[in-house]
Amino acid sequence: MADQTENRVAAVVIMAAGAGTRMKSAIPKVLHRIAGTSMVGLAIDAADALRPEHLVVVVGHEREQVTAHLAEIAPHVTIAVQERPLGTGDAVRSGLAALPGLRGEVVVTSGDVPLLAPETLLDLVAAHRQEGNAVTVLTAVVPDPTGYGRIVRDGDEVARIVEQRDASDEERALAEINSGIYVFDALALTQGLGALEPKNAQGELYLTDVVAHARAAGRRVGARLIVDYLQTEGVNDRIQLAERSAELNRRILVRWMREGVTVLDPATTWVHAGVDLAEDVTLLPNTSLEGATSVARGATIGPDTTLIDVEVGENARVLRTQAELAVIGPDVTVGPYTYLRPGTELSAKAHVGAFVEMKKAVIGEGAKVPHLTYCGDAVVGAGSNIGAGTIFANYDGISKNTSTVGEHSFIGSDSVLVAPVHVADGAYVAAGSTITVDVGPGDLAVSRGQQRNIKGWVSRKRPGTRTAEAAAAAQHEVPQAKGETGSSE
């Protein structure tokens, strides 16, 4: 059996120390999210495909925030600190400081290139090995290379990388750019980093000088040109953040459509990277599926629906709904204008209708909560019906309590169930009742004041009004105008 580690790289170093001042944000740039994942999280996902022995993230600006985030999403990474922003060479040197004696390949990438695919890094490493390079640079041809370092070739090798400000007019005309993503032989990298000097006005150490050092030492420097140049595009401001977000979302939707999902309007449909969709799912306009949401075969979601960490069963129909951390079973219908809060579970064939809010509610198979109801901390049995305007009064000012409704029971409209209370199987609650005592099987609970009709109240208290006229007409009487005595001359 082959050694499972033979194709692993020695290390991946992700540069994530930049301040990102153009983002104008208290949040570090690499923590801004695209498709539901932080940019540094996306970089880690791509790097993990290489199965590196060491995965290092170099932090600097607002390091406490970045470190806390990494501890949550990627506890396997090693965190290195770049104390001062002294350039890309210094960042990589900081990253390798905790990893002495490396042998093999070291991949260097960035925490703000969110479209970079795992397959691209795998291909880059394969090319590096096949060509026997000391350094391999990922390059791209971009529509506007302004601001990028240009690749100056010597046949199929890289002669040098020249920065925009140092380039001649002829070199600035070159369209092939340096992405800032590399594979290095570990020895060539450490030797090159050791030779770096701040030969620029900024006093910074540039990683491109390591490339020049390898070339000067007679080592081979190769380039891997990627056709999909958007994978090399970084994020420096909110405009670019929106552009990369839209592009990644487009790619996610294309992948799902190729897997058999119908997306009626891709321009208004947003799906996070962690979402899972089955064949024959239909997504209608203005739908957003976020977090770890999963949707089973044949379900229809939308329009105007947001699901966050929601599980949706087969053939369910979810219309104009906001839901989070909920389970929607097979053949369930939800909406319109429904709010499912965390802990809600809807069993097969249940129906939750318009203007219903649920929280920690477990609704049995085939049960119905059709409209205008608050159902919090509740268990509703199979086949039961909750009438319009019902309130599960679950909060006593100190704690939340649970009420239960048994199977095939009926709660009349405009009722209040004051928790904790139990309505047994096959019971009825009369409309307008306030229930504070358990209801037994097959019982009818009635809790409301006795109705009293006060005869003639309108004619006495509202004389001369349209209401009085209507009442009199219904009684076949002619209303007497205010002030008239009823006599004739």
Side-chain angles (χ1 to χ4, degrees), residues 119-330:
E119 296 78 12
T120 298
L121 290 180
L122 290 166
D123 178 73
L124 183 64
V125 171
H128 177 84
R129 291 171 175 169
Q130 183 177 357
E131 297 172 5
N133 296 331
V135 184
T136 307
V137 185
L138 184 67
T139 68
V141 174
V142 298
D144 181 8
T146 303
Y148 288 97
R150 307 300 205 281
I151 300 296
V152 180
R153 285 183 175 262
D154 178 9
D156 62 350
E157 294 188 43
V158 175
R160 65 185 185 278
I161 301 172
V162 58
E163 298 300 327
Q164 167 89 17
R165 61 181 172 275
D166 301 321
S168 66
D169 290 342
E170 182 180 357
E171 289 167 338
R172 290 183 182 183
L174 297 172
E176 186 178 10
I177 59 95
N178 172 28
S179 70
I181 299 167
Y182 311 86
V183 183
F184 291 94
D185 172 76
L187 180 60
L189 177 58
T190 54
Q191 289 176 342
L193 290 173
L196 287 182
E197 295 179 2
K199 298 177 180 178
N200 52 73
Q202 291 78 21
E204 295 185 349
L205 304 177
Y206 294 142
L207 198 55
T208 49
D209 290 341
V210 176
V211 177
H213 183 273
R215 176 75 179 182
R219 305 292 301 276
R220 192 178 196 280
V221 177
R224 189 66 167 174
L225 177 65
I226 183 172
V227 175
D228 182 12
Y229 72 89
L230 289 175
Q231 289 194 43
T232 69
E233 297 276 77
V235 172
N236 293 304
D237 57 29
R238 306 283 184 148
I239 297 169
Q240 292 176 341
L241 182 70
E243 291 171 348
R244 306 297 174 265
S245 182
E247 176 59 23
L248 182 54
N249 186 70
R250 186 193 69 80
R251 295 178 183 214
I252 290 170
L253 293 180
V254 166
R255 175 169 65 87
W256 284 120
M257 287 188 281
R258 287 174 175 159
E259 293 292 328
V261 173
T262 295
V263 182
L264 194 64
D265 183 14
T268 63
T269 302
W270 293 83
V271 175
H272 280 184
V275 168
D276 184 59
L277 304 175
E279 290 182 4
D280 294 320
V281 165
T282 299
L283 305 181
L284 299 181
N286 296 311
T287 288
S288 181
L289 305 182
E290 303 177 14
T293 293
S294 65
V295 184
R297 183 188 299 269
T300 299
I301 312 297
D304 308 320
T305 294
T306 298
L307 305 182
I308 305 170
D309 299 320
V310 173
E311 178 184 335
V312 181
E314 290 189 359
N315 301 311
R317 177 72 173 89
V318 185
L319 164 68
R320 291 191 172 88
T321 294
Q322 175 86 21
E324 182 174 2
L325 289 168
V327 176
I328 298 171

Side-chain angles (χ1 to χ4, degrees), residues 362-368 379-385 404-409 425:
V362 179
I363 308 302
E365 183 173 352
K368 298 178 182 179
V379 177
V380 176
S384 289
N385 186 89
T404 59
V405 175
E407 296 184 358
H408 302 287
S409 293
D425 294 353

